[in-house]
């Protein structure tokens, strides 16, 4: 070896041939794909990519191996992939590495189907990626970023139903002609004298310890006549272009480490004859290449995944697939974070809870005061016979427990509480409990975003309607007759959004007339509807198919409302007012939906807020805010009080006193 030499270094491991005249070959990387990589790809596929099969930039990581007979391992981690669509679209910078994770650029080709994976032209793809390496050499890019010399790519198919991932990696290597021939290959300690070896080790350790160069494992080494070693970037090749390369001969160093330090016994120094053909100097040349791993690999993550995580992924799969083609505007974040309070855990409550979970709602509170009866399980889908035994379980608690068994990730809570109702006077010894229930119901409504009114009686909907109007919360009612149903969303409360002093108004937040609530069409206050009733009148006797229909419509109404830009202030629409589907991807947003099962008919209606409403009018909400629970207690004990307060009494008396004077005389034909 000359006293002054220049060596091109590679972090790949060379063969251990000691003789001369052998073809120079470099061991390819060994791939290792971490589970986190597939989880990140799954999220990226479902949330951002959809059907897009465009190449995805990757970053692989490797470090010099410490074993003399083991190839370097290229690892793909979660951070190898972009975390979201914005990063994928706007930030193609390579992930940062460190001395144990040197970054290497790569590309992912993920196919939508197994058939398209098999149909890929692997030879053409390998040549395409190898051409990128050759282009980077001609353009000089390798001088600024030598990691592109180790470029790799991966083809894959992700079966997200079965959590099975099929993949095949390739590390393109240019095939030059004629092949490079090894003249000599020895451990570095046998080539360098002690001073050169110590200086080179120190320079290499300094190079690897610097944050600027720790990931740069293609470099130039110069050893001066005084045994001092210097390491340079490839861009400085002109400074030593006359050293180490004579008559097509080139010296190279295959760098190895042991316990994080340069090891001259494991590192190899060789000399080879390289005579690249003229074709390789042609920028338009499509080079021959090798580099595919021997065979594709398959990994199944279903067994290694937490069952709860599997359940969440499976539940979200259908919703995320909706965004690929039909509903790209579907906001799963809003749906998963919205807090829903279900008043009533009966036939309607059970169905609504299931529908909410199907739409990705994860925060559900059920409120009911009853026990599970023997007649419940066949109609109410969250109960079984076991819930009926020993007198019956508390409905709300049992329903929440079943929701968690169905889907462990749901945040379900059961609250046992009786809703105070007008027409049901409160005994003196029960006043404190009823007032406590009123306060607790107010707190529940205030802490939730949406309240579903799903109770059996009309009067049980009054207080929740009033509290929702006062808190300006979304309220949705579903009510059943024997063969008819009503589903409606209540309008916004009588709050003036332009005045933050809690003033009241009959105008909604958009300046239009407010939509009405469940009680706006009534001319009498809610009263006791359960006393002195026969058994069929006490029970909710309906055709079994009504509850699923009404429950589904109630939840669909909420989803549409949550995606409307005006939210609770969205105007009511009827069937013939639908605009283009691009403007309203969920269709119209009705105020009321009324259906008749005997005719299999359904109509959409709009009803505006009434100034005399006993539940949401300015007068009633103002009185609630002024007197609080004292007002509620008076309305419960004296139902006519609400009629007097809102002017309904005067309206009824005026109507009863109105008389018509009939003219008994018959007009002549000439007068008609």
């Amino acid at each position: 070896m000359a006293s002054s030499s220049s060596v091109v270094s590679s972090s790949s491991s060379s063969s251990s041939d000691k003789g001369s005249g052998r073809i120079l070959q470099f061991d390819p990387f060994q791939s290792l794909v971490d589970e986190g990589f597939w989880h990140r790809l799954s999220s990226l596929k479902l949330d951002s990519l959809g059907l897009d099969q465009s190449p995805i930039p990757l970053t692989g990581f490797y470090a010099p191996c410490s074993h003399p007979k083991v190839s370097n391992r290229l690892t793909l981690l979660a951070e190898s992939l972009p975390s979201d669509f914005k990063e994928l679209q706007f930030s193609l910078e390579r992930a940062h590495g460190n001395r144990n994770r040197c970054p290497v650029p790569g590309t992912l080709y993920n196919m939508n189907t197994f058939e398209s994976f098999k149909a890929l032209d692997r030879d053409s793809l390998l040549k395409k990626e190898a051409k990128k390496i050759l282009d980077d050499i001609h353009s000089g890019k390798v001088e600024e970023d030598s990691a592109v010399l180790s470029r790799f790519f991966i083809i894959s198919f992700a079966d997200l139903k079965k959590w099975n991932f099929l993949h095949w990696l390739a590390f393109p290597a240019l095939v030059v002609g004629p092949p490079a021939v090894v003249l000599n290959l020895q451990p570095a300690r046998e080539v360098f004298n002690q001073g050169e070896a110590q200086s080179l080790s120190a320079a290499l350790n300094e190079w690897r310890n610097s944050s600027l160069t720790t990931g740069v494992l293609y470099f130039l080494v110069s050893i001066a006549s005084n045994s001092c070693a210097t390491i340079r970037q490839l861009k400085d090749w002109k400074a030593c272009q006359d050293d180490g390369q004579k008559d097509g001969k080139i010296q190279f160093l295959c760098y190895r480490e042991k316990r994080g330090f340069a090891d001259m016994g494991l590192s190899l120094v060789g000399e080879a004859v390289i005579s690249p053909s003229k074709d390789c100097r042609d920028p338009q040349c499509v080079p021959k290449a090798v580099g595919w791993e021997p065979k594709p690999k398959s990994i199944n993550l279903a067994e290694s995944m937490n069952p709860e995580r599997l359940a969440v992924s499976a539940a979200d799969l259908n919703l995320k697939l909706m965004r690929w083609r039909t509903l790209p505007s579907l906001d799963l974040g809003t749906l998963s974070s919205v807090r829903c309070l279900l008043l009533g855990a009966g036939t309607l409550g059970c169905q609504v809870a299931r529908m909410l979970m199907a739409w990705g709602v994860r925060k559900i509170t059920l409120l009911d005061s009853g026990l599970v009866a023997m007649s419940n399980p066949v109609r109410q889908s969250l109960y079984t016979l076991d819930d009926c035994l020993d007198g019956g379980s508390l409905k709300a608690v049992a329903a929440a427990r079943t929701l968690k068994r169905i889907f462990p990730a749901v945040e379900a809570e059961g609250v046992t509480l009786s809703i105070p109702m007008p027409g049901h006077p409160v005994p003196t010894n029960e006043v404190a409990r009823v007032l406590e229930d009123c306060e607790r119901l107010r707190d529940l409504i205030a802490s939730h975003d949406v309240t579903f009114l799903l109770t059996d009686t009309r009067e049980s909907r009054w207080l929740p309607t009033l509290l929702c109007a006062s808190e300006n919360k979304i309220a949705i009612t579903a009510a059943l007759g024997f063969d008819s149903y009503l589903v409606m969303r209540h309008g916004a409360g009588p709050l003036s959004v332009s005045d933050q002093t809690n003033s009241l108004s009959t105008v909604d937040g958009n300046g239009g007339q407010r939509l009405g609530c469940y009680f706006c069409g009534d001319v009498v206050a809610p009263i006791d509807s359960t006393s002195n009733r026969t058994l069929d009148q006490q029970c909710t006797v309906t055709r079994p198919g009504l509850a699923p229909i009404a429950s589904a419509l109630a939840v669909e109404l909420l989803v549409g409302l949550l995606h409307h830009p005006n939210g609770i202030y969205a105007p009511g629409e009827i069937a013939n007012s639908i605009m283009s589907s691009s403007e309203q991807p969920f269709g119209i947003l009705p105020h009321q939906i009324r259906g008749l099962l005997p005719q299999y008919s359904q109509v959409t209606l709009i009803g505006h807020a009434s100034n005399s409403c006993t539940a949401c009018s300015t007068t009633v909400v103002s009185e609630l805010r002024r007197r609080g629970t004292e007002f509620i207690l008076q309305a419960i004990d004296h139902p006519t009080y609400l009629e007097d307060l809102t002017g309904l009494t005067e309206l009824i008396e005026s109507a009863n006193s109105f008389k018509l004077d009939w003219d008994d005389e018959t007009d002549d034909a000439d007068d008609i």
Side-chain angles (χ1 to χ4, degrees):
M1 188 176 198
S3 58
S4 178
S5 61
S6 176
V7 191
V8 178
S9 300
S10 165
S11 63
S12 301
S13 63
S14 79
S15 64
S16 58
D17 293 343
K18 300 300 181 179
S20 61
R22 301 292 298 273
I23 295 177
L24 177 63
Q25 294 180 318
F26 288 86
D27 289 339
F29 285 113
Q30 291 184 355
S31 64
L32 177 64
V33 185
D34 185 75
E35 288 186 8
F37 176 86
W38 300 118
H39 289 303
R40 175 70 67 84
L41 176 60
S42 301
S43 300
L44 197 63
K45 175 72 174 174
L46 289 172
D47 298 335
S48 303
L49 297 175
L51 297 171
D52 190 356
Q53 295 186 150
S54 301
I56 302 171
L58 290 179
T59 301
F61 300 98
Y62 78 103
C65 185
S66 298
H67 197 285
K69 296 184 178 181
V70 176
S71 296
N72 286 328
R73 178 171 291 163
L74 183 105
T75 304
L76 296 180
L77 306 170
E79 53 265 43
S80 296
L81 280 165
S83 59
D84 53 36
F85 181 73
K86 289 184 178 179
E87 184 179 342
L88 174 64
Q89 192 173 23
F90 300 112
S91 180
L92 299 181
E93 292 185 7
R94 197 175 310 146
H96 295 291
N98 52 53
R99 65 170 294 118
N100 296 314
R101 296 197 325 180
C102 304
V104 178
T107 306
L108 170 66
Y109 296 89
N110 187 59
M111 301 293 102
N112 286 327
T113 66
F114 176 64
E115 288 72 22
S116 58
F117 175 86
K118 292 192 301 181
L120 278 173
D121 187 340
R122 295 191 300 113
D123 289 338
S124 297
L125 205 54
L126 185 63
K127 290 181 179 179
K128 174 183 175 182
E129 293 295 325
K131 182 66 163 63
K132 294 179 181 178
I133 297 176
L134 189 60
D135 290 343
D136 290 339
I137 294 174
H138 286 302
S139 67
K141 183 177 180 179
V142 295
E143 299 172 16
E144 301 295 333
D145 183 11
S146 62
V148 296
L149 290 171
S150 297
R151 186 189 302 274
F152 71 98
F153 68 98
I154 175 174
I155 60 175
S156 66
F157 165 62
D159 185 346
L160 300 184
K161 281 189 175 181
K162 299 179 180 178
W163 282 91
N164 192 67
F165 301 88
L166 181 65
H167 58 285
W168 205 339
L169 271 85
F171 304 97
L174 302 179
V175 177
V176 298
V181 177
V182 177
L183 300 179
N184 186 30
L185 187 63
Q186 304 175 65
R189 67 185 177 188
E190 297 179 9
V191 175
F192 301 121
N193 60 42
Q194 184 177 2
E196 292 173 337
Q198 290 178 347
S199 178
L200 179 57
S201 294
L204 289 170
N205 290 332
E206 182 180 356
W207 180 272
R208 292 280 286 136
N209 288 329
S210 170
S211 60
L212 298 177
T213 57
T214 185
V216 181
L217 291 186
Y218 286 91
F219 45 80
L220 299 171
V221 175
S222 294
I223 299 180
S225 57
N226 61 359
S227 300
C228 181
T230 304
I231 301 179
R232 296 185 175 92
Q233 300 269 10
L234 292 190
K235 63 182 178 180
D236 298 326
W237 65 272
K238 290 183 179 179
C240 49
Q241 62 180 331
D242 295 330
D243 298 331
Q245 183 176 0
K246 300 177 181 179
D247 301 325
K249 297 179 182 179
I250 188 168
Q251 292 178 316
F252 57 89
L253 168 70
C254 295
Y255 174 67
R256 291 278 192 167
E257 290 182 349
K258 186 175 184 179
R259 299 194 181 107
F261 295 95
D263 190 294
M264 294 295 101
L266 296 177
S267 299
L268 300 174
V269 173
E271 185 177 35
V273 176
I274 300 178
S275 303
S277 64
K278 294 182 179 180
D279 291 341
C280 292
R281 305 179 189 276
D282 181 5
Q284 304 303 320
C285 171
V286 178
K288 295 180 180 180
V290 293
W292 281 106
E293 290 192 324
K295 58 183 179 179
K297 299 177 183 178
S298 180
I299 181 173
N300 188 284
L301 300 185
E303 294 183 1
S304 64
M305 289 182 66
N306 181 287
E308 182 173 327
R309 184 172 181 178
L310 271 176
V312 172
S313 299
D316 288 344
L317 179 61
N318 184 60
L319 296 172
K320 292 182 177 181
L321 292 180
M322 288 183 185
R323 301 197 304 183
W324 286 16
R325 298 181 192 267
T326 53
L327 283 175
S329 60
L330 181 61
D331 188 347
L332 297 181
T334 296
L335 290 172
S336 64
S337 62
V338 67
R339 296 162 295 181
C340 292
L341 174 64
L342 279 56
L343 304 183
T347 308
L348 287 168
C350 290
Q351 293 288 348
V352 167
R354 301 284 305 247
M355 293 293 176
L356 287 172
M357 286 202 306
W359 265 112
V361 175
R362 298 292 179 256
K363 298 176 176 63
I364 301 173
T365 302
L366 299 107
L367 183 149
D368 203 296
S369 62
L371 302 174
V372 182
M374 286 290 184
S375 61
N376 293 155
V378 294
R379 286 173 172 258
Q380 301 175 10
S381 60
L382 296 181
Y383 309 121
T384 65
L385 180 62
D386 291 341
D387 297 316
C388 308
L389 303 179
D390 301 324
S393 302
L394 293 169
K395 270 193 164 182
V397 176
R401 184 171 59 241
T402 302
L403 287 179
K404 291 180 179 179
R405 282 202 299 263
I406 294 171
F407 185 61
V410 69
E411 298 177 28
E413 179 185 3
V415 176
T416 302
L417 185 145
S418 296
I419 299 176
M421 299 177 286
H424 297 254
V426 182
T428 304
N429 62 342
E430 292 288 325
V431 170
R433 180 190 63 79
V434 171
L435 293 180
E436 182 181 345
D437 288 346
C438 291
E439 290 294 344
R440 191 176 183 193
L441 182 61
R442 183 202 292 265
D443 292 341
L444 284 169
I445 289 175
S447 63
H448 287 74
D449 304 304
V450 182
T451 299
F452 284 89
L453 281 62
L454 310 169
T455 53
D456 292 337
T457 62
R458 180 170 168 269
E459 62 267 28
S460 62
R461 303 169 191 262
W462 174 77
L463 182 55
T465 299
L466 171 61
L467 295 176
C468 286
S470 177
E471 297 287 341
N472 200 33
K473 295 285 188 174
I474 296 174
I476 295 179
T477 285
L480 305 178
F482 169 68
D483 55 11
S484 62
Y485 59 84
L486 164 68
V487 176
M488 67 177 295
R489 58 184 175 99
H490 296 200
L495 280 170
S496 173
V497 295
S498 61
D499 187 350
Q500 301 301 323
T501 60
N502 288 336
S503 62
L504 300 168
S505 173
T506 57
V507 178
D508 70 10
N510 293 323
Q513 189 173 357
R514 288 192 300 118
L515 295 177
C517 74
Y518 180 68
F519 295 92
C520 279
D522 295 343
V523 293
V524 293
I527 57 174
D528 184 0
S529 64
T530 59
S531 300
N532 195 27
R533 294 290 194 270
T534 61
L535 182 61
D536 65 316
Q537 293 173 323
Q538 294 176 33
C539 299
T540 305
V541 180
T542 66
R543 293 173 63 167
L546 283 184
I549 296 173
S551 301
L553 290 173
V555 175
E556 294 292 330
L557 197 59
L558 170 65
V559 174
L561 188 62
L562 292 176
H563 285 80
H564 196 284
N566 295 330
I568 194 174
Y569 301 104
E573 297 173 305
I574 56 178
N576 61 3
S577 68
I578 187 169
M579 304 300 290
S580 66
S581 58
S582 61
E583 295 180 1
Q584 297 181 332
F586 288 88
I588 66 170
L589 190 61
H591 175 223
Q592 300 180 28
I593 307 169
R594 294 179 181 267
L596 289 170
L597 202 54
Q599 287 81 40
Y600 291 92
S601 64
Q602 181 174 287
V603 295
T604 54
L605 304 170
I606 297 177
H608 293 294
S610 168
N611 291 329
S612 301
C613 178
T614 59
C616 77
S617 64
T618 300
T619 303
V620 175
V621 175
S622 178
E623 198 69 8
L624 170 68
R625 293 183 174 181
R626 187 174 68 86
R627 299 175 56 200
T629 53
E630 179 187 354
F631 160 74
I632 296 175
L633 196 61
Q634 184 174 358
I636 290 172
D637 290 337
H638 307 283
T640 57
Y641 165 66
L642 291 173
E643 296 176 358
D644 297 338
L645 178 67
T646 58
L648 285 177
T649 302
E650 182 181 351
L651 180 64
I652 294 172
E653 291 176 352
S654 175
N656 291 336
S657 65
F658 183 72
K659 295 182 180 180
L660 291 174
D661 294 328
W662 295 94
D663 187 356
D664 294 333
E665 297 181 5
T666 303
D667 293 330
D668 295 337
D670 294 339
D671 297 330
I672 298 178

